[in-house]
Amino acid sequence: MILRSFVILLIGLFASGASAQCPGKSVTSGVYDAPLCVPDAPRRIVALDPFYNLGMALELGLPLVGAPLLTVQDRDLKKKAEEASVSDIGDARQPSLERIVALKPDLIIGDATLHGQSYQNFAKIAPTALIDAKDWKEHFSILAMITGKSADATRMLAGYEQRVAAIRTKTGSRTMSVLRVTPSGFHLYLDGPAAYAPYAVLRDAGVKRSAYETTQDNTVFKRPEWEDLALLDGDILLYVVAAGYDANQDDALAARTTSNPFWQMLPAVASGNAHRVTRETWMGFNGIGSANRVLDDIEQYLPGKP
């Protein structure tokens, strides 16, 4: 009994000591190098990427002071960030440490995969939460938990789930193929366990893809050749064109691609059910808003021509 009481006392002393060492909130999972001490109510947040963390931070109404606006692909998101007085910290691939320091953040948020190698550089400036999540919805929930916005995230995700449930009742048996056109060839993002966010939204909504676009492993994408396009036999084809960071060159690339005889042989093209969709939604996915724009495309195009 005496020994047990002593152990309990030691545990209590350790817990109180750990609490004293962290004046804010201790995050024990979902982030790189956990446990991590973060402010209870951060007032000056810097996001290291122009995708999930920038978009989700703005959706959650977080006090964001900096992000790599130079490489934001979603023009509406960039405008929203600028209207919120978010300062540019440069290129997302190598954000400026000097600019981050000047913003005096009390929390830095990023992605464990993208920013893990540079963690120590950022952690010297402010507590740095590099989120380690299996998909975009988990990322959103972890970011909300870190910043005290869990109730808001739960409400927004519930709205999303309600909408996809309604769409699932209307998807029927029609199939949809989705393709990205680039100057170096085609990119095909797969329906599978590790699907990139827009394609995970398709799956959530009950959209069926062709066998060529579906996998049971963690493969994320393929690089089909022209000859492989015949395997994209969905009833509807959505395609996004990206000639690089400069969207002004997209139309020329689209014209070259759609005039090719191989393109004309695609079943969806021949039936008039091929539709070009926006690069912002399908390449710059950044949160609930992006998910709803994917759902907009599903509702608009999945019915197709009779």
Side-chain angles (χ1 to χ4, degrees):
M1 178 65 72
I2 294 175
L3 178 60
R4 181 184 178 193
S5 299
F6 180 67
V7 170
I8 292 174
L9 176 61
L10 285 178
I11 293 173
L13 288 172
F14 177 81
S16 62
S19 177
Q21 292 173 11
C22 178
K25 172 169 54 182
S26 181
V27 179
T28 59
S29 63
V31 295
Y32 182 88
D33 200 31
L36 174 70
C37 182
V38 299
D40 279 323
R43 296 181 179 181
R44 298 183 62 81
I45 299 176
V46 165
L48 296 176
D49 67 87
F51 302 110
Y52 288 4
N53 285 305
L54 173 57
M56 293 175 181
L58 291 173
E59 287 179 333
L60 290 169
L62 300 180
L64 198 62
V65 296
L69 303 185
L70 180 68
T71 42
V72 174
Q73 295 198 37
D74 187 328
R75 286 169 288 188
D76 289 339
L77 177 63
K78 186 172 184 178
K79 181 180 178 182
K80 185 177 179 182
E82 290 171 343
E83 290 174 347
S85 299
V86 177
S87 296
D88 184 20
I89 61 170
D91 192 317
R93 291 164 292 190
Q94 194 172 2
S96 169
L97 295 178
E98 292 80 6
R99 293 185 190 182
I100 296 174
V101 169
L103 290 170
K104 300 179 179 179
D106 56 3
L107 178 65
I108 297 172
I109 55 176
D111 178 89
T113 301
L114 295 177
H115 306 112
Q117 290 185 336
S118 303
Y119 173 73
Q120 293 300 332
N121 293 334
F122 301 122
K124 291 174 183 177
I125 300 171
T128 299
L130 303 185
I131 297 174
D132 187 8
K134 68 178 184 296
D135 57 38
W136 72 272
K137 289 183 286 187
E138 185 177 80
H139 191 112
F140 192 51
S141 296
I142 293 173
L143 176 61
M145 177 270 294
I146 291 169
T147 56
K149 295 283 187 175
S150 289
D152 295 317
T154 298
R155 172 179 52 79
M156 285 187 271
L157 286 171
Y160 164 79
E161 296 293 351
Q162 184 176 14
R163 187 178 180 193
V164 295
I167 292 175
R168 276 198 301 269
T169 66
K170 300 180 289 185
T171 52
S173 60
R174 293 175 69 80
T175 55
M176 179 177 283
S177 293
V178 189
L179 183 68
R180 180 188 293 185
V181 181
T182 78
S184 61
F186 300 108
H187 291 178
L188 186 67
Y189 284 77
L190 303 179
D191 176 13
Y196 172 45
Y199 306 90
V201 172
L202 291 178
R203 186 175 66 247
D204 284 349
V207 174
K208 300 176 183 65
R209 308 274 299 282
S210 69
Y212 183 66
E213 300 168 75
T214 306
T215 183
Q216 300 303 317
D217 60 26
N218 288 327
T219 305
V220 176
F221 76 100
K222 297 177 178 178
R223 297 181 183 272
E225 301 294 335
W226 276 104
E227 296 79 5
D228 300 319
L229 294 190
L231 298 171
L232 295 174
D233 57 2
D235 299 308
I236 299 96
L237 171 68
L238 302 185
Y239 64 98
V240 58
V241 181
Y245 279 111
D246 184 3
N248 294 323
Q249 300 177 32
D250 291 354
D251 289 345
L253 176 60
R256 291 196 302 272
T257 302
T258 56
S259 62
N260 188 293
F262 280 107
W263 185 268
Q264 300 298 324
M265 293 170 60
L266 284 168
V269 173
S271 65
N273 283 312
H275 309 282
R276 182 177 167 186
V277 290
T278 65
R279 59 151 58 197
E280 289 87 355
T281 298
W282 293 86
M283 290 181 59
F285 190 99
N286 54 71
I288 295 287
S290 296
N292 277 304
R293 288 194 293 274
V294 172
L295 297 178
D296 290 343
D297 285 343
I298 293 171
E299 291 190 309
Q300 179 176 356
Y301 297 120
L302 190 61
K305 291 186 178 181

